[in-house]
Each structure stands twice: as C-alpha cells, then as structure tokens.
Amino acid sequence: MGRPRKFEEERAVEAAMRAFWRAGYEATSTEDLCTATGLGRSSIYNTFASKRELFVKALLRYMEQREAALAELLDGDLPLQEKMRTVLWWAVDPDPGEPPGCLVVRSMTELAPHDPEIAGLLRRDNDRRREMLRAAIEAGRARGEVDPGKDPVALAHFVFATVAGLRVSEQGGTDRSGLELVARIALDAF
C-alpha cells in the first residue's frame, strides 16, 4: 500500500518551498521541482495543476511556519529586548539547514510588483507579522521596557524592515559579522 496522497502533497510542498526559497520563482524550473520533490513532471501537474499553484502552496507553508515561530516567541515570557534580539538573530544566524535569505522577501521583490494575488498574500502576511511585533512592543512599553515616547507602530515597521534588509544582505553574501553589526544597531532602538 502506498503513502497517502495528503502525505505526499505535504512532503512535495515542503520540498518545493525550499527549492523556491533557494532560487526564487522564475529561476526554479519544473525539472528543479521534480528533483526537489522526487515526483515526476506529470505527478506534479496532476497534483498541483501548475508551477504557480505549487508556489502559492509553498509560500503559504513558509508564511505559516514563520508566523507560528514568531507568535510563539512574542507570546513568551522573555523581556522585550530579548524577544527583539531573537527576531533579529534569526536573520543574523539562520539555521544552517535553511537556504539563504527569505522566501517572503524574495517574493516581494520578484513577484509582488506584477502579480496582484501574490502581492495581496504577502501584504496580509506582512501586516499580521508587523501587528504581532507592534503588540509585543506595546506590551513591553506598558511594562516599562520601552521609552514611553517611542511609537510601537514605528518600531514594529523598523524591526520588520531591518529583518528584511538583513535577509537580502545575507542572500547577497554579507557575512555574519556584517549582519550582526546592523542587528546590534537595531537593538539600540529599544
């Protein structure tokens, strides 16, 4: 008896997510997806209908994973400074098993300017994550961990933009020490 189709789909989406993350949408060929997923071309198209549909599922998976990790961190009991350090260091010192950069950031620059559906998915994801940051910063300000004159909305946008910039810099080859310099300066905002 073979594996259940749902399992195969989830495994294929995870593998495709990493392939798109590594190279981007346009540079990831169907052959790359076949190699990554272990599926034949016909199986990919029978299961997902198109490269784009597989990409959307992979992007949604990536966003769900990142959002869940952020929510777990921000809902925890650490002081705000440590939470922000952790968020920044996810970009400074990413898991060595992950491709460089960020699939969301890559998609914002590659696809969002000319794909309204992808742009909408990314905007909603970015809004949710910025709101999570804002709420954590607001709570930290209420506990006296942030200067009362600092705007939680502005700080959330700043952290979000800094992380995106770190991810682009990492993808472009900036070494860890360069990324760490930027992250340390960003922490001074708190």
Side-chain angles (χ1 to χ4, degrees), residues 81-135:
Q81 182 83 13
E82 190 57 32
K83 289 176 182 180
M84 294 302 108
R85 184 187 188 288
T86 300
V87 168
L88 291 162
W89 256 254
W90 283 340
V92 168
D93 196 19
D95 183 320
E98 293 181 348
C102 172
L103 182 57
V104 166
V105 173
R106 182 185 290 273
S107 300
M108 285 189 311
T109 58
E110 181 184 6
L111 298 172
H114 58 82
D115 187 324
E117 180 188 359
I118 297 294
L121 291 173
L122 294 167
R123 189 172 36 260
R124 285 186 293 280
D125 176 67
N126 293 341
D127 289 348
R128 280 191 306 271
R129 287 200 261 169
R130 270 194 303 270
E131 175 54 26
M132 292 165 69
L133 288 166
R134 187 217 50 82

Short mmCIF file of all heavy atoms in Angstrom, two decimals, residues 81-135:
data_model
loop_
_atom_site.label_atom_id
_atom_site.label_comp_id
_atom_site.label_asym_id
_atom_site.label_seq_id
_atom_site.Cartn_x
_atom_site.Cartn_y
_atom_site.Cartn_z
N GLN A 81 13.48 43.15 25.02
CA GLN A 81 14.81 43.26 24.40
C GLN A 81 15.29 41.90 23.90
O GLN A 81 15.83 41.79 22.81
CB GLN A 81 15.80 43.84 25.42
CG GLN A 81 17.20 44.06 24.89
CD GLN A 81 17.38 45.36 24.14
OE1 GLN A 81 16.54 46.23 24.20
NE2 GLN A 81 18.47 45.48 23.45
N GLU A 82 15.06 40.86 24.70
CA GLU A 82 15.48 39.51 24.30
C GLU A 82 14.62 38.99 23.14
O GLU A 82 15.13 38.31 22.25
CB GLU A 82 15.43 38.56 25.50
CG GLU A 82 16.07 37.23 25.24
CD GLU A 82 17.53 37.31 24.81
OE1 GLU A 82 18.27 38.23 25.24
OE2 GLU A 82 17.94 36.44 24.01
N LYS A 83 13.35 39.31 23.15
CA LYS A 83 12.48 38.91 22.03
C LYS A 83 12.96 39.56 20.73
O LYS A 83 13.06 38.90 19.70
CB LYS A 83 11.03 39.31 22.31
CG LYS A 83 10.36 38.49 23.38
CD LYS A 83 8.96 39.00 23.66
CE LYS A 83 8.30 38.22 24.78
NZ LYS A 83 6.93 38.70 25.06
N MET A 84 13.27 40.86 20.80
CA MET A 84 13.71 41.56 19.59
C MET A 84 15.09 41.06 19.15
O MET A 84 15.34 40.91 17.96
CB MET A 84 13.75 43.07 19.82
CG MET A 84 12.37 43.69 20.04
SD MET A 84 11.21 43.42 18.67
CE MET A 84 10.09 42.22 19.41
N ARG A 85 15.95 40.75 20.11
CA ARG A 85 17.24 40.19 19.76
C ARG A 85 17.06 38.86 19.03
O ARG A 85 17.71 38.60 18.03
CB ARG A 85 18.11 39.98 21.01
CG ARG A 85 19.50 39.48 20.67
CD ARG A 85 20.33 39.12 21.90
NE ARG A 85 21.69 38.82 21.55
CZ ARG A 85 22.08 37.73 20.91
NH1 ARG A 85 21.22 36.82 20.52
NH2 ARG A 85 23.36 37.54 20.62
N THR A 86 16.17 38.02 19.52
CA THR A 86 15.92 36.73 18.89
C THR A 86 15.41 36.92 17.47
O THR A 86 15.88 36.24 16.54
CB THR A 86 14.92 35.90 19.73
OG1 THR A 86 15.49 35.70 21.03
CG2 THR A 86 14.63 34.57 19.08
N VAL A 87 14.46 37.81 17.27
CA VAL A 87 13.92 38.07 15.92
C VAL A 87 15.05 38.50 14.98
O VAL A 87 15.17 37.99 13.86
CB VAL A 87 12.81 39.15 15.97
CG1 VAL A 87 12.45 39.64 14.58
CG2 VAL A 87 11.57 38.61 16.69
N LEU A 88 15.87 39.43 15.43
CA LEU A 88 16.97 39.90 14.59
C LEU A 88 17.99 38.81 14.34
O LEU A 88 18.50 38.66 13.22
CB LEU A 88 17.63 41.13 15.23
CG LEU A 88 16.76 42.39 15.24
CD1 LEU A 88 17.28 43.40 16.25
CD2 LEU A 88 16.65 42.99 13.85
N TRP A 89 18.29 38.01 15.35
CA TRP A 89 19.31 36.97 15.19
C TRP A 89 18.82 35.80 14.34
O TRP A 89 19.63 35.06 13.81
CB TRP A 89 19.85 36.53 16.54
CG TRP A 89 21.22 37.13 16.77
CD1 TRP A 89 22.41 36.47 16.70
CD2 TRP A 89 21.52 38.50 17.03
NE1 TRP A 89 23.43 37.37 16.91
CE2 TRP A 89 22.92 38.62 17.12
CE3 TRP A 89 20.74 39.64 17.20
CZ2 TRP A 89 23.55 39.82 17.37
CZ3 TRP A 89 21.37 40.84 17.46
CH2 TRP A 89 22.76 40.93 17.53
N TRP A 90 17.51 35.66 14.17
CA TRP A 90 17.04 34.66 13.20
C TRP A 90 17.58 35.01 11.82
O TRP A 90 17.86 34.12 11.02
CB TRP A 90 15.51 34.61 13.16
CG TRP A 90 14.88 33.88 14.31
CD1 TRP A 90 15.46 32.96 15.13
CD2 TRP A 90 13.53 34.00 14.75
NE1 TRP A 90 14.55 32.51 16.06
CE2 TRP A 90 13.36 33.12 15.84
CE3 TRP A 90 12.45 34.75 14.32
CZ2 TRP A 90 12.14 32.98 16.50
CZ3 TRP A 90 11.24 34.62 14.99
CH2 TRP A 90 11.09 33.75 16.07
N ALA A 91 17.75 36.30 11.54
CA ALA A 91 18.30 36.72 10.25
C ALA A 91 19.82 36.74 10.26
O ALA A 91 20.46 36.48 9.25
CB ALA A 91 17.75 38.10 9.86
N VAL A 92 20.42 37.07 11.41
CA VAL A 92 21.88 37.13 11.51
C VAL A 92 22.49 35.73 11.47
O VAL A 92 23.50 35.49 10.82
CB VAL A 92 22.30 37.84 12.83
CG1 VAL A 92 23.79 37.66 13.11
CG2 VAL A 92 21.93 39.31 12.77
N ASP A 93 21.87 34.81 12.17
CA ASP A 93 22.43 33.48 12.35
C ASP A 93 21.35 32.42 12.05
O ASP A 93 20.91 31.71 12.94
CB ASP A 93 22.93 33.35 13.80
CG ASP A 93 23.85 32.18 14.00
OD1 ASP A 93 24.40 31.66 13.01
OD2 ASP A 93 24.03 31.77 15.17
N PRO A 94 20.94 32.34 10.78
CA PRO A 94 19.85 31.42 10.45
C PRO A 94 20.27 29.96 10.61
O PRO A 94 21.46 29.65 10.67
CB PRO A 94 19.54 31.74 8.99
CG PRO A 94 20.80 32.33 8.46
CD PRO A 94 21.46 33.02 9.61
N ASP A 95 19.29 29.11 10.67
CA ASP A 95 19.52 27.67 10.75
C ASP A 95 20.40 27.26 9.56
O ASP A 95 20.08 27.58 8.41
CB ASP A 95 18.17 26.95 10.70
CG ASP A 95 18.29 25.46 10.86
OD1 ASP A 95 19.23 24.85 10.30
OD2 ASP A 95 17.43 24.87 11.54
N PRO A 96 21.50 26.54 9.81
CA PRO A 96 22.38 26.19 8.70
C PRO A 96 21.72 25.29 7.65
O PRO A 96 22.20 25.21 6.52
CB PRO A 96 23.55 25.46 9.38
CG PRO A 96 23.19 25.27 10.80
CD PRO A 96 21.99 26.10 11.11
N GLY A 97 20.63 24.64 7.99
CA GLY A 97 19.94 23.80 7.02
C GLY A 97 19.00 24.57 6.10
O GLY A 97 18.41 23.99 5.19
N GLU A 98 18.86 25.87 6.34
CA GLU A 98 17.93 26.68 5.53
C GLU A 98 18.67 27.36 4.38
O GLU A 98 19.83 27.75 4.52
CB GLU A 98 17.28 27.77 6.39
CG GLU A 98 16.37 27.24 7.45
CD GLU A 98 15.72 28.33 8.28
OE1 GLU A 98 16.16 29.51 8.21
OE2 GLU A 98 14.78 28.01 9.02
N PRO A 99 17.99 27.55 3.27
CA PRO A 99 18.58 28.35 2.19
C PRO A 99 18.79 29.78 2.68
O PRO A 99 18.12 30.24 3.60
CB PRO A 99 17.52 28.31 1.09
CG PRO A 99 16.70 27.10 1.38
CD PRO A 99 16.71 26.98 2.88
N PRO A 100 19.71 30.51 2.07
CA PRO A 100 19.91 31.90 2.49
C PRO A 100 18.72 32.78 2.11
O PRO A 100 17.97 32.48 1.20
CB PRO A 100 21.17 32.33 1.73
CG PRO A 100 21.25 31.40 0.58
CD PRO A 100 20.60 30.12 1.01
N GLY A 101 18.57 33.85 2.85
CA GLY A 101 17.52 34.81 2.54
C GLY A 101 16.17 34.41 3.10
O GLY A 101 16.08 33.67 4.08
N CYS A 102 15.13 34.90 2.46
CA CYS A 102 13.76 34.72 2.94
C CYS A 102 12.84 34.59 1.73
O CYS A 102 12.89 35.43 0.82
CB CYS A 102 13.39 35.95 3.78
SG CYS A 102 11.66 36.03 4.28
N LEU A 103 12.01 33.59 1.73
CA LEU A 103 11.09 33.39 0.61
C LEU A 103 10.10 34.54 0.49
O LEU A 103 9.74 34.95 -0.61
CB LEU A 103 10.35 32.05 0.74
CG LEU A 103 9.40 31.69 -0.40
CD1 LEU A 103 10.11 31.68 -1.76
CD2 LEU A 103 8.72 30.35 -0.13
N VAL A 104 9.65 35.11 1.60
CA VAL A 104 8.72 36.23 1.56
C VAL A 104 9.40 37.45 0.95
O VAL A 104 8.87 38.09 0.05
CB VAL A 104 8.16 36.55 2.97
CG1 VAL A 104 7.48 37.90 3.00
CG2 VAL A 104 7.17 35.47 3.40
N VAL A 105 10.60 37.78 1.43
CA VAL A 105 11.30 38.95 0.91
C VAL A 105 11.63 38.75 -0.57
O VAL A 105 11.43 39.66 -1.39
CB VAL A 105 12.59 39.23 1.73
CG1 VAL A 105 13.41 40.34 1.09
CG2 VAL A 105 12.23 39.59 3.16
N ARG A 106 12.09 37.57 -0.93
CA ARG A 106 12.39 37.27 -2.33
C ARG A 106 11.13 37.46 -3.19
O ARG A 106 11.17 38.04 -4.26
CB ARG A 106 12.92 35.85 -2.47
CG ARG A 106 13.30 35.47 -3.87
CD ARG A 106 13.72 34.02 -3.97
NE ARG A 106 14.97 33.71 -3.34
CZ ARG A 106 16.16 33.82 -3.93
NH1 ARG A 106 16.24 34.26 -5.16
NH2 ARG A 106 17.26 33.48 -3.29
N SER A 107 10.00 36.99 -2.70
CA SER A 107 8.75 37.09 -3.44
C SER A 107 8.25 38.53 -3.53
O SER A 107 7.63 38.91 -4.53
CB SER A 107 7.68 36.20 -2.80
OG SER A 107 8.10 34.85 -2.80
N MET A 108 8.52 39.33 -2.49
CA MET A 108 8.11 40.74 -2.52
C MET A 108 8.82 41.48 -3.64
O MET A 108 8.23 42.33 -4.29
CB MET A 108 8.40 41.43 -1.18
CG MET A 108 7.44 41.04 -0.09
SD MET A 108 7.55 42.00 1.45
CE MET A 108 9.26 42.00 1.85
N THR A 109 10.09 41.14 -3.87
CA THR A 109 10.83 41.85 -4.92
C THR A 109 10.64 41.22 -6.29
O THR A 109 10.58 41.92 -7.29
CB THR A 109 12.33 41.92 -4.58
OG1 THR A 109 12.84 40.59 -4.41
CG2 THR A 109 12.56 42.72 -3.31
N GLU A 110 10.50 39.90 -6.34
CA GLU A 110 10.40 39.21 -7.63
C GLU A 110 8.99 39.21 -8.21
O GLU A 110 8.81 39.43 -9.40
CB GLU A 110 10.90 37.77 -7.48
CG GLU A 110 10.85 36.98 -8.78
CD GLU A 110 11.24 35.52 -8.63
OE1 GLU A 110 11.46 35.03 -7.50
OE2 GLU A 110 11.31 34.85 -9.68
N LEU A 111 7.99 38.95 -7.38
CA LEU A 111 6.65 38.71 -7.91
C LEU A 111 5.62 39.79 -7.58
O LEU A 111 4.75 40.08 -8.40
CB LEU A 111 6.13 37.36 -7.41
CG LEU A 111 6.94 36.15 -7.84
CD1 LEU A 111 6.45 34.91 -7.13
CD2 LEU A 111 6.88 35.97 -9.34
N ALA A 112 5.67 40.35 -6.39
CA ALA A 112 4.63 41.28 -5.95
C ALA A 112 4.43 42.46 -6.89
O ALA A 112 3.28 42.87 -7.11
CB ALA A 112 4.91 41.76 -4.54
N PRO A 113 5.49 43.02 -7.50
CA PRO A 113 5.27 44.18 -8.36
C PRO A 113 4.36 43.91 -9.57
O PRO A 113 3.75 44.84 -10.10
CB PRO A 113 6.68 44.56 -8.82
CG PRO A 113 7.58 44.05 -7.75
CD PRO A 113 6.92 42.77 -7.28
N HIS A 114 4.26 42.64 -10.00
CA HIS A 114 3.44 42.36 -11.19
C HIS A 114 2.43 41.23 -11.00
O HIS A 114 1.80 40.80 -11.97
CB HIS A 114 4.35 42.06 -12.40
CG HIS A 114 5.28 40.91 -12.17
ND1 HIS A 114 4.89 39.62 -12.31
CD2 HIS A 114 6.58 40.88 -11.80
CE1 HIS A 114 5.91 38.82 -12.06
NE2 HIS A 114 6.94 39.56 -11.74
N ASP A 115 2.25 40.78 -9.77
CA ASP A 115 1.29 39.70 -9.50
C ASP A 115 0.41 40.12 -8.33
O ASP A 115 0.78 39.96 -7.16
CB ASP A 115 2.03 38.40 -9.19
CG ASP A 115 1.10 37.21 -9.07
OD1 ASP A 115 -0.04 37.36 -8.56
OD2 ASP A 115 1.50 36.10 -9.48
N PRO A 116 -0.77 40.68 -8.61
CA PRO A 116 -1.64 41.20 -7.53
C PRO A 116 -2.04 40.15 -6.50
O PRO A 116 -2.15 40.48 -5.31
CB PRO A 116 -2.86 41.73 -8.27
CG PRO A 116 -2.43 41.92 -9.69
CD PRO A 116 -1.33 40.93 -9.94
N GLU A 117 -2.24 38.91 -6.91
CA GLU A 117 -2.63 37.88 -5.93
C GLU A 117 -1.49 37.62 -4.95
O GLU A 117 -1.70 37.59 -3.74
CB GLU A 117 -3.02 36.57 -6.62
CG GLU A 117 -3.43 35.51 -5.61
CD GLU A 117 -3.64 34.13 -6.21
OE1 GLU A 117 -3.50 33.95 -7.43
OE2 GLU A 117 -3.94 33.22 -5.42
N ILE A 118 -0.29 37.44 -5.47
CA ILE A 118 0.87 37.22 -4.60
C ILE A 118 1.10 38.45 -3.74
O ILE A 118 1.37 38.34 -2.54
CB ILE A 118 2.13 36.89 -5.43
CG1 ILE A 118 1.95 35.58 -6.21
CG2 ILE A 118 3.37 36.82 -4.54
CD1 ILE A 118 1.81 34.33 -5.39
N ALA A 119 0.99 39.63 -4.32
CA ALA A 119 1.16 40.88 -3.56
C ALA A 119 0.17 40.93 -2.39
O ALA A 119 0.54 41.32 -1.28
CB ALA A 119 0.99 42.09 -4.47
N GLY A 120 -1.06 40.51 -2.63
CA GLY A 120 -2.07 40.51 -1.56
C GLY A 120 -1.72 39.52 -0.46
O GLY A 120 -1.87 39.83 0.73
N LEU A 121 -1.28 38.31 -0.83
CA LEU A 121 -0.87 37.32 0.17
C LEU A 121 0.28 37.85 1.02
O LEU A 121 0.26 37.73 2.25
CB LEU A 121 -0.43 36.02 -0.51
CG LEU A 121 -1.48 35.18 -1.20
CD1 LEU A 121 -0.83 34.03 -1.97
CD2 LEU A 121 -2.49 34.65 -0.20
N LEU A 122 1.25 38.45 0.36
CA LEU A 122 2.40 38.99 1.07
C LEU A 122 2.02 40.16 1.97
O LEU A 122 2.49 40.26 3.10
CB LEU A 122 3.48 39.41 0.07
CG LEU A 122 4.12 38.27 -0.72
CD1 LEU A 122 4.93 38.81 -1.89
CD2 LEU A 122 4.96 37.38 0.17
N ARG A 123 1.17 41.03 1.48
CA ARG A 123 0.73 42.18 2.27
C ARG A 123 0.02 41.73 3.54
O ARG A 123 0.30 42.22 4.63
CB ARG A 123 -0.17 43.10 1.42
CG ARG A 123 -0.51 44.43 2.06
CD ARG A 123 -1.23 45.38 1.11
NE ARG A 123 -2.17 44.76 0.19
CZ ARG A 123 -1.92 44.48 -1.10
NH1 ARG A 123 -0.76 44.75 -1.64
NH2 ARG A 123 -2.84 43.91 -1.87
N ARG A 124 -0.88 40.75 3.40
CA ARG A 124 -1.60 40.25 4.58
C ARG A 124 -0.63 39.59 5.57
O ARG A 124 -0.73 39.80 6.78
CB ARG A 124 -2.71 39.28 4.17
CG ARG A 124 -3.91 40.00 3.57
CD ARG A 124 -5.07 39.07 3.29
NE ARG A 124 -4.82 38.10 2.24
CZ ARG A 124 -4.89 38.36 0.93
NH1 ARG A 124 -5.22 39.56 0.51
NH2 ARG A 124 -4.66 37.42 0.05
N ASP A 125 0.32 38.83 5.07
CA ASP A 125 1.31 38.20 5.93
C ASP A 125 2.16 39.25 6.64
O ASP A 125 2.37 39.19 7.85
CB ASP A 125 2.20 37.26 5.11
CG ASP A 125 3.31 36.65 5.95
OD1 ASP A 125 3.01 35.85 6.85
OD2 ASP A 125 4.49 36.98 5.70
N ASN A 126 2.64 40.21 5.88
CA ASN A 126 3.46 41.27 6.47
C ASN A 126 2.67 42.06 7.50
O ASN A 126 3.20 42.39 8.57
CB ASN A 126 3.98 42.21 5.37
CG ASN A 126 4.97 41.53 4.45
OD1 ASN A 126 5.54 40.50 4.78
ND2 ASN A 126 5.16 42.10 3.28
N ASP A 127 1.42 42.37 7.21
CA ASP A 127 0.58 43.10 8.16
C ASP A 127 0.40 42.31 9.46
O ASP A 127 0.47 42.88 10.55
CB ASP A 127 -0.80 43.42 7.55
CG ASP A 127 -0.75 44.48 6.46
OD1 ASP A 127 0.30 45.15 6.30
OD2 ASP A 127 -1.76 44.62 5.74
N ARG A 128 0.17 41.00 9.34
CA ARG A 128 -0.01 40.17 10.54
C ARG A 128 1.26 40.16 11.39
O ARG A 128 1.21 40.32 12.60
CB ARG A 128 -0.38 38.73 10.16
CG ARG A 128 -1.83 38.53 9.82
CD ARG A 128 -2.21 37.06 9.72
NE ARG A 128 -1.39 36.29 8.81
CZ ARG A 128 -1.61 36.13 7.51
NH1 ARG A 128 -2.66 36.70 6.94
NH2 ARG A 128 -0.82 35.39 6.76
N ARG A 129 2.41 39.99 10.74
CA ARG A 129 3.65 39.93 11.50
C ARG A 129 4.01 41.28 12.11
O ARG A 129 4.48 41.34 13.24
CB ARG A 129 4.79 39.39 10.63
CG ARG A 129 4.60 37.89 10.42
CD ARG A 129 5.85 37.23 10.02
NE ARG A 129 5.87 37.05 8.57
CZ ARG A 129 6.93 36.68 7.90
NH1 ARG A 129 8.07 36.50 8.50
NH2 ARG A 129 6.85 36.52 6.60
N ARG A 130 3.78 42.35 11.37
CA ARG A 130 4.03 43.68 11.95
C ARG A 130 3.10 43.95 13.13
O ARG A 130 3.51 44.52 14.13
CB ARG A 130 3.88 44.77 10.88
CG ARG A 130 5.16 45.08 10.15
CD ARG A 130 5.08 46.36 9.37
NE ARG A 130 3.99 46.38 8.42
CZ ARG A 130 4.08 45.97 7.16
NH1 ARG A 130 5.22 45.51 6.68
NH2 ARG A 130 3.04 46.00 6.37
N GLU A 131 1.85 43.50 13.03
CA GLU A 131 0.90 43.68 14.13
C GLU A 131 1.35 42.87 15.35
O GLU A 131 1.22 43.33 16.48
CB GLU A 131 -0.51 43.29 13.70
CG GLU A 131 -1.54 43.34 14.81
CD GLU A 131 -1.61 44.68 15.55
OE1 GLU A 131 -1.27 45.73 14.99
OE2 GLU A 131 -2.04 44.66 16.73
N MET A 132 1.87 41.68 15.13
CA MET A 132 2.38 40.88 16.24
C MET A 132 3.55 41.60 16.92
O MET A 132 3.63 41.64 18.15
CB MET A 132 2.81 39.50 15.74
CG MET A 132 1.66 38.64 15.25
SD MET A 132 2.20 37.21 14.28
CE MET A 132 3.00 36.25 15.53
N LEU A 133 4.43 42.17 16.13
CA LEU A 133 5.55 42.93 16.68
C LEU A 133 5.04 44.16 17.44
O LEU A 133 5.48 44.44 18.56
CB LEU A 133 6.51 43.36 15.56
CG LEU A 133 7.36 42.27 14.94
CD1 LEU A 133 8.00 42.75 13.64
CD2 LEU A 133 8.42 41.78 15.92
N ARG A 134 4.09 44.88 16.84
CA ARG A 134 3.54 46.07 17.49
C ARG A 134 2.94 45.73 18.83
O ARG A 134 3.18 46.41 19.83
CB ARG A 134 2.48 46.74 16.60
CG ARG A 134 2.01 48.09 17.20
CD ARG A 134 0.54 48.35 17.00
NE ARG A 134 -0.37 47.30 17.37
CZ ARG A 134 -0.81 47.04 18.62
NH1 ARG A 134 -0.40 47.75 19.65
NH2 ARG A 134 -1.67 46.07 18.84
N ALA A 135 2.17 44.66 18.89
CA ALA A 135 1.52 44.27 20.15
C ALA A 135 2.57 43.91 21.21
O ALA A 135 2.43 44.29 22.38
CB ALA A 135 0.57 43.10 19.91
#
